[in-house]
Structures are given as C-alpha cells and as structure tokens.
Amino acid sequence: MGAHLLKDPRNQIAQWIITLGPIWVYTPLFIIIFIETGLVVTPFLPGDSLLFCAGIFCTEGGGLNLWAVIILMSIAAILGNTSNYWIGRKLGEAIIKGGKVKALTPERIDKTQKMFDKFGMLAIFLTRFFPIIRTFAPFLAGMGKMHFPKFTFYNVLGGIVWVCLFTLLGYFFGNVPIVQEHFELVIVGIVVISFIPTVIGLIKARLSSKKESSNNSQN
C-alpha cells in the first residue's frame, strides 16, 4: 500500500471507499495524517496530496463528506503534532544521540531551528506547509520545551488551516476537466510546490554553514 499511496493517492482512496465502506474509509485517512507528523520517522507520507484527493471525493457522489473530512483530519493533524511534541520532550535527546532516525539530518534540524529562531512560536503554524519540516518542528519544539499552551494554540490553528486549504482545493478544483486530464501531473506539481520552500531553505542553510566554516578557517 505504501508505494501505491505515494504514487496514486486518488486510486488508493477509491479502493478504501469500495473495500471499507463510507464510514470506515475515514480510518486510514486519519491514521496517515496522524502519523505523518505524529512520528518523526514518517515525514515521507503524502499529507498534502492525500488531503487534496480526499477533497475530490467530497463532491457529490464521491463517497466522502466534506465536513467529516475537515473535522477528522484536523483532529488527526493536531493530535499528530501533540504526540510528536511529547516524544521530543521526553525522548528527543536520546533519539538524536542514538542516530537511528536517518531522516533527522543535521541540515533538516538546522533548517527547522532557524525557522524557530526567525519566527518564534509562529513557526509551528508556518511549518505545517513545509513537507518533512512539519514532521520535525513539533519534535524539536518538545525538545526545546516550548511552552505547551502556546504550542497548542499554533498547532490547532496550523492544523485546521492546512487541512482546510488542501481539502478545499481538491473539493473545488479536483474535478475541473484539465485537472482530471492531467491528474498525475497535478499531484506531482503539488508535491514539488510543497517541497520548494524546504529545498530552498536547506540550500541556504548549507551555503550559510559553508560560509561560516570558510570565515572561521580564514580567522
């Protein structure tokens, strides 16, 4: 299921609707949105494209209910961040020292930390829209013992806005003929556009690191 979900989330949701029925289909959607940010080892899951495709199935005859998707996926996103926060707070240092979570590269940690330094707690809201980084942000916030009530405020706000944005994009534009005709390209486009800020940030972080190293060597 994993590879198929990444490649074609629309067909995967269609299969769930057929095999699980209109009620239980929300379960795998909920689980995937939860663990994408709830576990620091699963930043690769396609949260943006999955929400977009879920929005398509919320149109008439699609099998999903728009309000149910928005409410349940918002809860999943909020609980995921909350879980990751407490994992980071209680086990973060041990996890990083252990070095077993390969996705936690120094560059990604540095990029996330720079967002915290620049935007403060607002970074919890902003990182919702940065794939991979959104998985590390609550973890590092927990490690840094960020004030939990304030973290929760930005977590709730970010989770709701993120879910509403991508679900409603799918709901209103997913069945437009040109989108249907080039659906695979649209999904690739969503993934690419989502990753652009993260890639730019990582490049800037690496260039900044090299510049600092060069300056230190000259001194």
Side-chain angles (χ1 to χ4, degrees):
M1 181 188 76
H4 186 64
L5 176 64
L6 293 170
K7 183 179 178 181
D8 194 349
R10 181 176 60 171
N11 277 348
Q12 184 66 70
I13 294 175
Q15 288 181 21
W16 286 336
I17 292 173
I18 294 170
T19 58
L20 299 176
I23 296 178
W24 290 104
V25 68
Y26 298 102
T27 302
L29 293 172
F30 186 98
I31 291 172
I32 291 168
I33 295 300
F34 171 82
I35 65 176
E36 189 204 8
T37 54
L39 299 175
V40 77
V41 296
T42 52
F44 55 84
L45 290 173
D48 299 336
S49 55
L50 189 70
L51 291 172
F52 181 85
C53 291
I56 295 174
F57 286 97
C58 291
T59 54
E60 186 175 355
L64 298 180
N65 178 273
L66 180 63
W67 282 109
V69 168
I70 288 176
I71 291 171
L72 290 173
M73 298 313 110
S74 294
I75 292 172
I78 292 164
L79 290 179
N81 260 22
T82 303
S83 171
N84 214 352
Y85 171 92
W86 286 108
I87 291 172
R89 186 153 180 164
K90 300 295 184 182
L91 304 171
E93 291 185 9
I95 289 174
I96 289 181
K97 286 179 181 178
K100 294 183 178 180
V101 182
K102 303 303 181 184
L104 273 171
T105 62
E107 291 84 1
R108 288 168 177 168
I109 293 174
D110 183 60
K111 166 62 179 173
T112 309
Q113 189 57 54
K114 284 185 176 179
M115 288 200 69
F116 282 128
D117 294 340
K118 185 175 182 179
F119 297 105
M121 291 190 177
L122 182 60
I124 295 299
F125 171 83
L126 296 174
T127 52
R128 278 288 186 187
F129 305 93
F130 290 71
I132 296 181
I133 299 297
R134 65 168 159 256
T135 303
F136 300 146
F139 178 84
L140 295 177
M143 276 190 63
K145 294 181 170 53
M146 182 180 285
H147 187 56
F148 185 65
K150 290 183 179 179
F151 166 85
T152 300
F153 172 78
Y154 289 105
N155 175 27
V156 171
L157 181 64
I160 293 172
V161 173
W162 176 60
V163 168
C164 286
L165 174 63
F166 282 96
T167 303
L168 292 176
L169 281 174
Y171 181 77
F172 287 112
F173 300 106
N175 286 318
V176 172
I178 191 170
V179 174
Q180 288 291 320
E181 291 170 10
H182 306 282
F183 192 78
E184 290 186 3
L185 290 177
V186 171
I187 295 300
V188 171
I190 290 173
V191 174
V192 170
I193 292 171
S194 298
F195 269 98
I196 285 174
T198 302
V199 172
I200 291 173
L202 290 173
I203 292 172
K204 285 183 176 179
R206 179 160 291 187
L207 291 175
S208 177
S209 177
K210 287 183 178 180
K211 186 177 180 180
E212 288 177 7
S213 299
S214 177
N215 290 338
N216 290 335
S217 63
Q218 290 176 3
N219 294 333

